[in-house]
PDB file of all heavy atoms in Angstrom:
ATOM      1  N   VAL A 295       0.850  -1.226   0.016  1.00  0.00           N
ATOM      2  CA  VAL A 295       0.001   0.015  -0.028  1.00  0.00           C
ATOM      3  C   VAL A 295       0.904   1.257  -0.007  1.00  0.00           C
ATOM      4  O   VAL A 295       0.607   2.210  -0.723  1.00  0.00           O
ATOM      5  CB  VAL A 295      -0.955  -0.002   1.221  1.00  0.00           C
ATOM      6  CG1 VAL A 295      -1.659   1.328   1.331  1.00  0.00           C
ATOM      7  CG2 VAL A 295      -1.977  -1.121   1.059  1.00  0.00           C
ATOM      8  N   ARG A 296       1.926   1.252   0.825  1.00  0.00           N
ATOM      9  CA  ARG A 296       2.844   2.434   0.903  1.00  0.00           C
ATOM     10  C   ARG A 296       3.494   2.614  -0.430  1.00  0.00           C
ATOM     11  O   ARG A 296       3.591   3.755  -0.900  1.00  0.00           O
ATOM     12  CB  ARG A 296       3.849   2.158   1.996  1.00  0.00           C
ATOM     13  CG  ARG A 296       4.866   3.321   2.077  1.00  0.00           C
ATOM     14  CD  ARG A 296       5.976   3.013   3.099  1.00  0.00           C
ATOM     15  NE  ARG A 296       6.952   4.112   3.185  1.00  0.00           N
ATOM     16  CZ  ARG A 296       7.970   4.271   2.405  1.00  0.00           C
ATOM     17  NH1 ARG A 296       8.179   3.442   1.367  1.00  0.00           N
ATOM     18  NH2 ARG A 296       8.798   5.299   2.508  1.00  0.00           N
ATOM     19  N   ALA A 297       3.964   1.576  -1.063  1.00  0.00           N
ATOM     20  CA  ALA A 297       4.673   1.704  -2.354  1.00  0.00           C
ATOM     21  C   ALA A 297       3.727   2.298  -3.414  1.00  0.00           C
ATOM     22  O   ALA A 297       4.123   3.177  -4.196  1.00  0.00           O
ATOM     23  CB  ALA A 297       5.232   0.358  -2.810  1.00  0.00           C
ATOM     24  N   HIS A 298       2.498   1.811  -3.432  1.00  0.00           N
ATOM     25  CA  HIS A 298       1.546   2.276  -4.381  1.00  0.00           C
ATOM     26  C   HIS A 298       1.221   3.785  -4.181  1.00  0.00           C
ATOM     27  O   HIS A 298       1.145   4.590  -5.128  1.00  0.00           O
ATOM     28  CB  HIS A 298       0.206   1.443  -4.325  1.00  0.00           C
ATOM     29  CG  HIS A 298      -0.780   1.901  -5.338  1.00  0.00           C
ATOM     30  ND1 HIS A 298      -1.797   2.800  -5.021  1.00  0.00           N
ATOM     31  CD2 HIS A 298      -0.959   1.566  -6.595  1.00  0.00           C
ATOM     32  CE1 HIS A 298      -2.546   3.015  -6.097  1.00  0.00           C
ATOM     33  NE2 HIS A 298      -2.042   2.270  -7.073  1.00  0.00           N
ATOM     34  N   ILE A 299       1.022   4.156  -2.925  1.00  0.00           N
ATOM     35  CA  ILE A 299       0.722   5.598  -2.587  1.00  0.00           C
ATOM     36  C   ILE A 299       1.878   6.462  -2.938  1.00  0.00           C
ATOM     37  O   ILE A 299       1.713   7.546  -3.539  1.00  0.00           O
ATOM     38  CB  ILE A 299       0.309   5.743  -1.123  1.00  0.00           C
ATOM     39  CG1 ILE A 299      -1.017   5.012  -0.847  1.00  0.00           C
ATOM     40  CG2 ILE A 299       0.225   7.163  -0.716  1.00  0.00           C
ATOM     41  CD1 ILE A 299      -1.402   5.002   0.613  1.00  0.00           C
ATOM     42  N   VAL A 300       3.102   6.048  -2.617  1.00  0.00           N
ATOM     43  CA  VAL A 300       4.269   6.903  -2.855  1.00  0.00           C
ATOM     44  C   VAL A 300       4.465   7.102  -4.382  1.00  0.00           C
ATOM     45  O   VAL A 300       4.641   8.230  -4.776  1.00  0.00           O
ATOM     46  CB  VAL A 300       5.527   6.212  -2.232  1.00  0.00           C
ATOM     47  CG1 VAL A 300       6.762   6.928  -2.720  1.00  0.00           C
ATOM     48  CG2 VAL A 300       5.478   6.324  -0.717  1.00  0.00           C
ATOM     49  N   PHE A 301       4.451   6.040  -5.128  1.00  0.00           N
ATOM     50  CA  PHE A 301       4.741   6.192  -6.557  1.00  0.00           C
ATOM     51  C   PHE A 301       3.637   6.894  -7.299  1.00  0.00           C
ATOM     52  O   PHE A 301       3.890   7.740  -8.153  1.00  0.00           O
ATOM     53  CB  PHE A 301       4.982   4.799  -7.177  1.00  0.00           C
ATOM     54  CG  PHE A 301       6.365   4.261  -6.961  1.00  0.00           C
ATOM     55  CD1 PHE A 301       6.699   3.587  -5.786  1.00  0.00           C
ATOM     56  CD2 PHE A 301       7.394   4.511  -7.905  1.00  0.00           C
ATOM     57  CE1 PHE A 301       7.974   3.095  -5.605  1.00  0.00           C
ATOM     58  CE2 PHE A 301       8.656   4.018  -7.654  1.00  0.00           C
ATOM     59  CZ  PHE A 301       8.960   3.302  -6.535  1.00  0.00           C
ATOM     60  N   SER A 302       2.391   6.547  -6.993  1.00  0.00           N
ATOM     61  CA  SER A 302       1.264   7.191  -7.700  1.00  0.00           C
ATOM     62  C   SER A 302       1.123   8.691  -7.337  1.00  0.00           C
ATOM     63  O   SER A 302       0.889   9.528  -8.206  1.00  0.00           O
ATOM     64  CB  SER A 302      -0.077   6.492  -7.408  1.00  0.00           C
ATOM     65  OG  SER A 302      -0.330   6.463  -6.011  1.00  0.00           O
ATOM     66  N   SER A 303       1.354   9.030  -6.040  1.00  0.00           N
ATOM     67  CA  SER A 303       1.251  10.457  -5.672  1.00  0.00           C
ATOM     68  C   SER A 303       2.383  11.270  -6.250  1.00  0.00           C
ATOM     69  O   SER A 303       2.172  12.441  -6.608  1.00  0.00           O
ATOM     70  CB  SER A 303       1.253  10.526  -4.117  1.00  0.00           C
ATOM     71  OG  SER A 303       2.435  10.049  -3.617  1.00  0.00           O
ATOM     72  N   ARG A 304       3.559  10.722  -6.363  1.00  0.00           N
ATOM     73  CA  ARG A 304       4.674  11.448  -7.067  1.00  0.00           C
ATOM     74  C   ARG A 304       4.304  11.768  -8.485  1.00  0.00           C
ATOM     75  O   ARG A 304       4.535  12.819  -9.046  1.00  0.00           O
ATOM     76  CB  ARG A 304       5.919  10.657  -6.916  1.00  0.00           C
ATOM     77  CG  ARG A 304       6.598  10.641  -5.558  1.00  0.00           C
ATOM     78  CD  ARG A 304       7.767   9.652  -5.528  1.00  0.00           C
ATOM     79  NE  ARG A 304       8.412   9.633  -4.216  1.00  0.00           N
ATOM     80  CZ  ARG A 304       9.408   8.804  -3.915  1.00  0.00           C
ATOM     81  NH1 ARG A 304       9.783   7.890  -4.753  1.00  0.00           N
ATOM     82  NH2 ARG A 304       9.970   8.877  -2.723  1.00  0.00           N
ATOM     83  N   THR A 305       3.765  10.731  -9.180  1.00  0.00           N
ATOM     84  CA  THR A 305       3.379  10.926 -10.569  1.00  0.00           C
ATOM     85  C   THR A 305       2.298  11.981 -10.681  1.00  0.00           C
ATOM     86  O   THR A 305       2.361  12.840 -11.557  1.00  0.00           O
ATOM     87  CB  THR A 305       2.840   9.584 -11.157  1.00  0.00           C
ATOM     88  OG1 THR A 305       3.841   8.587 -10.980  1.00  0.00           O
ATOM     89  CG2 THR A 305       2.585   9.696 -12.664  1.00  0.00           C
ATOM     90  N   ILE A 306       1.286  11.942  -9.829  1.00  0.00           N
ATOM     91  CA  ILE A 306       0.195  12.931  -9.850  1.00  0.00           C
ATOM     92  C   ILE A 306       0.714  14.338  -9.623  1.00  0.00           C
ATOM     93  O   ILE A 306       0.383  15.254 -10.337  1.00  0.00           O
ATOM     94  CB  ILE A 306      -0.858  12.558  -8.782  1.00  0.00           C
ATOM     95  CG1 ILE A 306      -1.595  11.267  -9.155  1.00  0.00           C
ATOM     96  CG2 ILE A 306      -1.905  13.701  -8.647  1.00  0.00           C
ATOM     97  CD1 ILE A 306      -2.446  10.724  -8.040  1.00  0.00           C
ATOM     98  N   ALA A 307       1.625  14.460  -8.602  1.00  0.00           N
ATOM     99  CA  ALA A 307       2.127  15.772  -8.266  1.00  0.00           C
ATOM    100  C   ALA A 307       2.881  16.452  -9.441  1.00  0.00           C
ATOM    101  O   ALA A 307       2.696  17.605  -9.786  1.00  0.00           O
ATOM    102  CB  ALA A 307       3.056  15.724  -7.075  1.00  0.00           C
ATOM    103  N   LEU A 308       3.789  15.698 -10.065  1.00  0.00           N
ATOM    104  CA  LEU A 308       4.602  16.235 -11.176  1.00  0.00           C
ATOM    105  C   LEU A 308       3.756  16.562 -12.381  1.00  0.00           C
ATOM    106  O   LEU A 308       3.901  17.568 -13.071  1.00  0.00           O
ATOM    107  CB  LEU A 308       5.686  15.264 -11.518  1.00  0.00           C
ATOM    108  CG  LEU A 308       6.981  15.377 -10.680  1.00  0.00           C
ATOM    109  CD1 LEU A 308       8.020  14.355 -11.114  1.00  0.00           C
ATOM    110  CD2 LEU A 308       7.609  16.777 -10.787  1.00  0.00           C
ATOM    111  N   TRP A 309       2.816  15.670 -12.678  1.00  0.00           N
ATOM    112  CA  TRP A 309       1.935  15.875 -13.909  1.00  0.00           C
ATOM    113  C   TRP A 309       0.963  17.057 -13.643  1.00  0.00           C
ATOM    114  O   TRP A 309       0.605  17.719 -14.618  1.00  0.00           O
ATOM    115  CB  TRP A 309       1.275  14.606 -14.305  1.00  0.00           C
ATOM    116  CG  TRP A 309       2.113  13.709 -15.148  1.00  0.00           C
ATOM    117  CD1 TRP A 309       2.744  12.588 -14.803  1.00  0.00           C
ATOM    118  CD2 TRP A 309       2.417  13.995 -16.520  1.00  0.00           C
ATOM    119  NE1 TRP A 309       3.505  12.101 -15.892  1.00  0.00           N
ATOM    120  CE2 TRP A 309       3.326  12.901 -16.935  1.00  0.00           C
ATOM    121  CE3 TRP A 309       2.075  14.967 -17.420  1.00  0.00           C
ATOM    122  CZ2 TRP A 309       3.794  12.814 -18.236  1.00  0.00           C
ATOM    123  CZ3 TRP A 309       2.582  14.859 -18.758  1.00  0.00           C
ATOM    124  CH2 TRP A 309       3.410  13.804 -19.172  1.00  0.00           C
ATOM    125  N   LEU A 310       0.499  17.239 -12.420  1.00  0.00           N
ATOM    126  CA  LEU A 310      -0.380  18.402 -12.200  1.00  0.00           C
ATOM    127  C   LEU A 310       0.376  19.732 -12.448  1.00  0.00           C
ATOM    128  O   LEU A 310      -0.190  20.674 -13.018  1.00  0.00           O
ATOM    129  CB  LEU A 310      -0.892  18.356 -10.758  1.00  0.00           C
ATOM    130  CG  LEU A 310      -1.998  17.340 -10.473  1.00  0.00           C
ATOM    131  CD1 LEU A 310      -2.432  17.393  -9.061  1.00  0.00           C
ATOM    132  CD2 LEU A 310      -3.182  17.546 -11.397  1.00  0.00           C
ATOM    133  N   ILE A 311       1.641  19.751 -12.047  1.00  0.00           N
ATOM    134  CA  ILE A 311       2.450  20.945 -12.322  1.00  0.00           C
ATOM    135  C   ILE A 311       2.677  21.063 -13.778  1.00  0.00           C
ATOM    136  O   ILE A 311       2.713  22.155 -14.411  1.00  0.00           O
ATOM    137  CB  ILE A 311       3.824  20.821 -11.562  1.00  0.00           C
ATOM    138  CG1 ILE A 311       3.575  20.835 -10.070  1.00  0.00           C
ATOM    139  CG2 ILE A 311       4.718  22.028 -11.935  1.00  0.00           C
ATOM    140  CD1 ILE A 311       4.847  20.576  -9.294  1.00  0.00           C
ATOM    141  N   THR A 312       2.854  19.933 -14.498  1.00  0.00           N
ATOM    142  CA  THR A 312       2.996  19.934 -15.959  1.00  0.00           C
ATOM    143  C   THR A 312       1.738  20.479 -16.629  1.00  0.00           C
ATOM    144  O   THR A 312       1.886  21.347 -17.569  1.00  0.00           O
ATOM    145  CB  THR A 312       3.285  18.508 -16.461  1.00  0.00           C
ATOM    146  OG1 THR A 312       4.410  17.965 -15.855  1.00  0.00           O
ATOM    147  CG2 THR A 312       3.470  18.525 -17.978  1.00  0.00           C
ATOM    148  N   PHE A 313       0.612  20.088 -16.194  1.00  0.00           N
ATOM    149  CA  PHE A 313      -0.633  20.630 -16.755  1.00  0.00           C
ATOM    150  C   PHE A 313      -0.827  22.132 -16.461  1.00  0.00           C
ATOM    151  O   PHE A 313      -1.380  22.837 -17.263  1.00  0.00           O
ATOM    152  CB  PHE A 313      -1.882  19.797 -16.195  1.00  0.00           C
ATOM    153  CG  PHE A 313      -2.018  18.429 -16.739  1.00  0.00           C
ATOM    154  CD1 PHE A 313      -2.398  17.404 -15.936  1.00  0.00           C
ATOM    155  CD2 PHE A 313      -1.654  18.150 -18.045  1.00  0.00           C
ATOM    156  CE1 PHE A 313      -2.542  16.102 -16.372  1.00  0.00           C
ATOM    157  CE2 PHE A 313      -1.800  16.872 -18.546  1.00  0.00           C
ATOM    158  CZ  PHE A 313      -2.193  15.844 -17.739  1.00  0.00           C
ATOM    159  N   ALA A 314      -0.312  22.531 -15.329  1.00  0.00           N
ATOM    160  CA  ALA A 314      -0.352  23.980 -15.002  1.00  0.00           C
ATOM    161  C   ALA A 314       0.511  24.737 -15.998  1.00  0.00           C
ATOM    162  O   ALA A 314       0.188  25.872 -16.397  1.00  0.00           O
ATOM    163  CB  ALA A 314       0.130  24.223 -13.548  1.00  0.00           C
ATOM    164  N   THR A 315       1.701  24.139 -16.395  1.00  0.00           N
ATOM    165  CA  THR A 315       2.544  24.779 -17.371  1.00  0.00           C
ATOM    166  C   THR A 315       1.880  24.885 -18.715  1.00  0.00           C
ATOM    167  O   THR A 315       1.909  25.912 -19.383  1.00  0.00           O
ATOM    168  CB  THR A 315       3.862  23.978 -17.536  1.00  0.00           C
ATOM    169  OG1 THR A 315       4.400  23.705 -16.254  1.00  0.00           O
ATOM    170  CG2 THR A 315       4.853  24.728 -18.414  1.00  0.00           C
ATOM    171  N   ILE A 316       1.137  23.778 -19.116  1.00  0.00           N
ATOM    172  CA  ILE A 316       0.411  23.845 -20.337  1.00  0.00           C
ATOM    173  C   ILE A 316      -0.711  24.860 -20.284  1.00  0.00           C
ATOM    174  O   ILE A 316      -0.989  25.605 -21.265  1.00  0.00           O
ATOM    175  CB  ILE A 316      -0.157  22.442 -20.657  1.00  0.00           C
ATOM    176  CG1 ILE A 316       0.993  21.450 -20.826  1.00  0.00           C
ATOM    177  CG2 ILE A 316      -1.046  22.450 -21.918  1.00  0.00           C
ATOM    178  CD1 ILE A 316       0.550  20.014 -20.988  1.00  0.00           C
ATOM    179  N   ASP A 317      -1.374  24.922 -19.135  1.00  0.00           N
ATOM    180  CA  ASP A 317      -2.481  25.936 -18.947  1.00  0.00           C
ATOM    181  C   ASP A 317      -1.944  27.346 -19.085  1.00  0.00           C
ATOM    182  O   ASP A 317      -2.618  28.231 -19.709  1.00  0.00           O
ATOM    183  CB  ASP A 317      -3.083  25.737 -17.583  1.00  0.00           C
ATOM    184  CG  ASP A 317      -4.210  26.723 -17.341  1.00  0.00           C
ATOM    185  OD1 ASP A 317      -5.295  26.568 -17.926  1.00  0.00           O
ATOM    186  OD2 ASP A 317      -4.019  27.677 -16.560  1.00  0.00           O
ATOM    187  N   ARG A 318      -0.741  27.635 -18.580  1.00  0.00           N
ATOM    188  CA  ARG A 318      -0.085  28.934 -18.694  1.00  0.00           C
ATOM    189  C   ARG A 318       0.139  29.249 -20.170  1.00  0.00           C
ATOM    190  O   ARG A 318       0.037  30.415 -20.634  1.00  0.00           O
ATOM    191  CB  ARG A 318       1.218  29.009 -17.938  1.00  0.00           C
ATOM    192  CG  ARG A 318       1.076  29.017 -16.430  1.00  0.00           C
ATOM    193  CD  ARG A 318       0.613  30.340 -15.920  1.00  0.00           C
ATOM    194  NE  ARG A 318      -0.855  30.392 -15.702  1.00  0.00           N
ATOM    195  CZ  ARG A 318      -1.531  31.426 -15.438  1.00  0.00           C
ATOM    196  NH1 ARG A 318      -0.990  32.592 -15.345  1.00  0.00           N
ATOM    197  NH2 ARG A 318      -2.873  31.389 -15.248  1.00  0.00           N
ATOM    198  N   TRP A 319       0.495  28.228 -20.944  1.00  0.00           N
ATOM    199  CA  TRP A 319       0.748  28.404 -22.378  1.00  0.00           C
ATOM    200  C   TRP A 319      -0.559  28.752 -23.099  1.00  0.00           C
ATOM    201  O   TRP A 319      -0.596  29.642 -23.936  1.00  0.00           O
ATOM    202  CB  TRP A 319       1.381  27.148 -22.983  1.00  0.00           C
ATOM    203  CG  TRP A 319       1.547  27.251 -24.441  1.00  0.00           C
ATOM    204  CD1 TRP A 319       2.471  27.995 -25.143  1.00  0.00           C
ATOM    205  CD2 TRP A 319       0.799  26.528 -25.451  1.00  0.00           C
ATOM    206  NE1 TRP A 319       2.296  27.821 -26.498  1.00  0.00           N
ATOM    207  CE2 TRP A 319       1.278  26.913 -26.737  1.00  0.00           C
ATOM    208  CE3 TRP A 319      -0.249  25.627 -25.382  1.00  0.00           C
ATOM    209  CZ2 TRP A 319       0.811  26.386 -27.887  1.00  0.00           C
ATOM    210  CZ3 TRP A 319      -0.761  25.101 -26.623  1.00  0.00           C
ATOM    211  CH2 TRP A 319      -0.267  25.524 -27.846  1.00  0.00           C
ATOM    212  N   PHE A 320      -1.605  28.035 -22.762  1.00  0.00           N
ATOM    213  CA  PHE A 320      -2.910  28.317 -23.339  1.00  0.00           C
ATOM    214  C   PHE A 320      -3.299  29.759 -23.013  1.00  0.00           C
ATOM    215  O   PHE A 320      -3.792  30.525 -23.896  1.00  0.00           O
ATOM    216  CB  PHE A 320      -4.011  27.355 -22.817  1.00  0.00           C
ATOM    217  CG  PHE A 320      -4.001  26.031 -23.518  1.00  0.00           C
ATOM    218  CD1 PHE A 320      -4.136  24.866 -22.735  1.00  0.00           C
ATOM    219  CD2 PHE A 320      -3.837  25.921 -24.838  1.00  0.00           C
ATOM    220  CE1 PHE A 320      -4.138  23.622 -23.357  1.00  0.00           C
ATOM    221  CE2 PHE A 320      -3.799  24.611 -25.456  1.00  0.00           C
ATOM    222  CZ  PHE A 320      -3.995  23.529 -24.727  1.00  0.00           C
ATOM    223  N   LEU A 321      -3.193  30.155 -21.765  1.00  0.00           N
ATOM    224  CA  LEU A 321      -3.647  31.444 -21.286  1.00  0.00           C
ATOM    225  C   LEU A 321      -2.848  32.594 -21.937  1.00  0.00           C
ATOM    226  O   LEU A 321      -3.406  33.693 -22.126  1.00  0.00           O
ATOM    227  CB  LEU A 321      -3.580  31.520 -19.804  1.00  0.00           C
ATOM    228  CG  LEU A 321      -4.365  32.678 -19.099  1.00  0.00           C
ATOM    229  CD1 LEU A 321      -5.817  32.609 -19.429  1.00  0.00           C
ATOM    230  CD2 LEU A 321      -4.091  32.603 -17.604  1.00  0.00           C
ATOM    231  N   SER A 322      -1.588  32.374 -22.203  1.00  0.00           N
ATOM    232  CA  SER A 322      -0.708  33.424 -22.794  1.00  0.00           C
ATOM    233  C   SER A 322      -0.697  33.478 -24.324  1.00  0.00           C
ATOM    234  O   SER A 322      -0.012  34.246 -24.918  1.00  0.00           O
ATOM    235  CB  SER A 322       0.760  33.288 -22.303  1.00  0.00           C
ATOM    236  OG  SER A 322       1.266  32.062 -22.698  1.00  0.00           O
ATOM    237  N   ASN A 323      -1.487  32.486 -24.923  1.00  0.00           N
ATOM    238  CA  ASN A 323      -1.431  32.389 -26.380  1.00  0.00           C
ATOM    239  C   ASN A 323      -2.169  33.530 -27.042  1.00  0.00           C
ATOM    240  O   ASN A 323      -3.213  34.017 -26.512  1.00  0.00           O
ATOM    241  CB  ASN A 323      -2.030  31.029 -26.777  1.00  0.00           C
ATOM    242  CG  ASN A 323      -1.518  30.562 -28.141  1.00  0.00           C
ATOM    243  OD1 ASN A 323      -1.810  31.112 -29.135  1.00  0.00           O
ATOM    244  ND2 ASN A 323      -0.695  29.528 -28.108  1.00  0.00           N
ATOM    245  N   ILE A 324      -1.708  34.016 -28.196  1.00  0.00           N
ATOM    246  CA  ILE A 324      -2.287  35.100 -28.921  1.00  0.00           C
ATOM    247  C   ILE A 324      -3.566  34.564 -29.655  1.00  0.00           C
ATOM    248  O   ILE A 324      -4.368  35.391 -30.089  1.00  0.00           O
ATOM    249  CB  ILE A 324      -1.357  35.802 -29.889  1.00  0.00           C
ATOM    250  CG1 ILE A 324      -0.812  34.790 -30.920  1.00  0.00           C
ATOM    251  CG2 ILE A 324      -0.196  36.435 -29.122  1.00  0.00           C
ATOM    252  CD1 ILE A 324       0.035  35.404 -31.959  1.00  0.00           C
TER     253      ILE A 324
END
């Protein structure tokens, strides 16, 4: 259970920041 939570939460955290970066690109697009 600990291994699953650690690995999945790390993936979620990094990809949420990645989606925020993409969202900034959408918002700044002409």
Side-chain angles (χ1 to χ4, degrees):
V295 170
R296 178 185 180 277
H298 182 266
I299 292 175
V300 167
F301 279 87
S302 59
S303 61
R304 286 172 177 173
T305 305
I306 293 170
L308 276 177
W309 275 105
L310 286 179
I311 298 172
T312 303
F313 288 143
T315 310
I316 298 173
D317 180 74
R318 290 285 95 191
W319 175 71
F320 281 138
L321 195 59
S322 63
N323 206 290
I324 60 175

